[in-house]
Amino acid sequence: MERKARVSLTSYVIVAVVLAALFVGFSGESRLQQAPVTPKNLQKTPGGACSTSDMLPKRNMMKALGSALLLGAAKPAISREVLFESAQPAPVLCTRPRPGSGRPLGIIDVDKTDVYERVRCTIGGYTISDTKYEFEAPDIFQPLTGFFAGGPDPAGTLDMRLETMKYGGNRPVTIVISNGKGNDEPKSRPWTGKKSITDLGNPDQFLKVFAPQLVVNEKIATVEEKDGIVYYKYVLYKAAANYNNRKVISAAIYNGDLICIVGLASDSNWDKAKPVLLNVIDSFRVIPNKEA
């Protein structure tokens, strides 16, 4: 009983100190408003410790404690960057429809555990099999699996698809990898036989070939080269409601294959997702074939 009483008393003391720190932190007196403090010569007491007049004022100690507590409380959950590689095991758990549960039409909400379950899976290699690629993304993105032919989407047109609902808004933030034409015969693809994306023109000309029906209100296009491979990169905006109207794209052609990564977000989560998606397409890389 005596031990419990001491523990209880200690808890009350800690709570009192925290409340006092918070009160002082919000007292409205800024550091700029305080009068300058004249330094004092340190004098040691016979016991060797500094005198109480020379110690850090209690008010400043309370402020420091209050600031530390507030910063700690405001610190957001941290996700870490992980490497996603085609035709390799996913670095995080994948999401697939629960057997027999079916799948509701419309938005895929990976957080609906009554519809989807977490499993280990291999990602990529469904529609892009000869060319390998990789990119980095936060580990809160969940790869989809178990759809058409075990792949990442019901239509079977994507090589990889990742989603997360962690950026708020009314729609998921999505990352997809595509060969541009899904399961179409390779000979029908405009880039078949091409060695570089530049063989299809400049960034504006390529975009018309890649997405001839695409209409956007804003477009930013840049060109980058990595390991001798040219990438066209885009930031696109289309004014539309209830739609993933924000897109970032990086595309390259290698050995006749088009490999394109697309990040999608909506106006409701674009501000939070934008820097993340830009980092994703910046990290996107086609892995050159050593035998080529």
Side-chain angles (χ1 to χ4, degrees):
M1 291 295 292
E2 181 180 355
R3 182 180 178 183
K4 290 183 178 179
R6 287 200 301 267
V7 172
S8 178
L9 178 59
T10 302
S11 301
Y12 285 132
V13 171
I14 293 174
V15 171
V17 171
V18 171
L19 291 176
L22 293 176
F23 174 80
V24 172
F26 284 100
S27 63
E29 182 181 8
S30 68
R31 186 171 298 177
L32 293 176
Q33 294 171 324
Q34 296 176 11
V37 178
T38 304
K40 299 180 181 179
N41 295 326
L42 290 179
Q43 297 178 351
K44 292 194 176 182
T45 62
C50 295
S51 64
T52 55
S53 61
D54 297 322
M55 295 175 64
L56 181 68
K58 292 182 179 180
R59 184 180 183 83
N60 291 346
M61 292 177 65
M62 291 296 102
K63 281 191 173 182
L65 178 58
S67 299
L69 290 171
L70 288 173
L71 289 174
K75 189 175 182 180
I78 297 176
S79 60
R80 61 188 179 93
E81 298 286 320
V82 292
L83 184 67
F84 293 87
E85 301 175 86
S86 62
Q88 295 294 324
V92 298
L93 289 177
C94 305
T95 296
R96 74 177 180 190
R98 289 186 178 276
S101 66
R103 185 181 76 82
L105 298 178
I107 298 173
I108 295 179
D109 185 347
V110 294
D111 289 338
K112 287 189 174 181
T113 56
D114 58 328
V115 179
Y116 302 102
E117 62 182 357
R118 307 288 187 263
V119 295
R120 295 287 180 188
C121 78
T122 297
I123 50 177
Y126 296 98
T127 60
I128 304 173
S129 56
D130 297 330
T131 302
K132 307 303 180 186
Y133 58 85
E134 63 183 23
F135 62 93
E136 294 180 354
D139 60 3
I140 56 176
F141 280 92
Q142 298 175 21
L144 302 188
T145 188
F147 290 91
F148 180 83
D153 73 305
T157 60
L158 300 176
D159 197 61
M160 194 183 301
R161 177 174 177 174
L162 301 87
E163 293 200 358
T164 182
M165 298 293 292
K166 303 301 184 184
Y167 292 99
N170 55 7
R171 303 183 70 88
V173 176
T174 305
I175 300 170
V176 300
I177 309 289
S178 169
N179 64 4
K181 291 293 181 179
N183 293 317
D184 292 352
E185 288 296 324
K187 62 182 180 181
S188 68
R189 302 169 187 169
W191 40 84
T192 298
K194 301 293 191 293
K195 293 184 178 180
S196 172
I197 197 169
T198 58
D199 294 337
L200 294 175
N202 60 36
D204 286 339
Q205 293 168 329
F206 166 75
L207 197 59
K208 292 178 181 179
V209 174
F210 173 67
Q213 306 300 321
L214 180 65
V215 178
V216 296
N217 299 97
E218 297 176 12
K219 176 177 61 179
I220 300 174
T222 57
V223 181
E224 184 180 10
E225 183 175 334
K226 302 177 187 177
D227 302 319
I229 301 173
V230 177
Y231 297 78
Y232 287 170
K233 299 164 68 173
Y234 306 88
V235 179
L236 307 175
Y237 169 68
K238 180 179 180 180
N242 299 321
Y243 174 70
N244 278 343
N245 56 339
R246 301 281 187 172
K247 294 181 175 64
V248 296
I249 301 172
S250 180
I253 291 176
Y254 183 73
N255 285 347
D257 284 335
L258 171 68
I259 306 96
C260 177
I261 185 169
V262 182
L264 303 103
S266 64
D267 280 336
S268 62
N269 49 32
W270 175 242
D271 287 342
K272 293 181 179 179
K274 178 181 178 180
V276 176
L277 293 179
L278 290 177
N279 286 337
V280 168
I281 67 167
D282 283 344
S283 70
F284 175 66
R285 185 177 77 95
V286 173
I287 302 174
N289 188 341
K290 295 181 180 179
E291 300 178 357

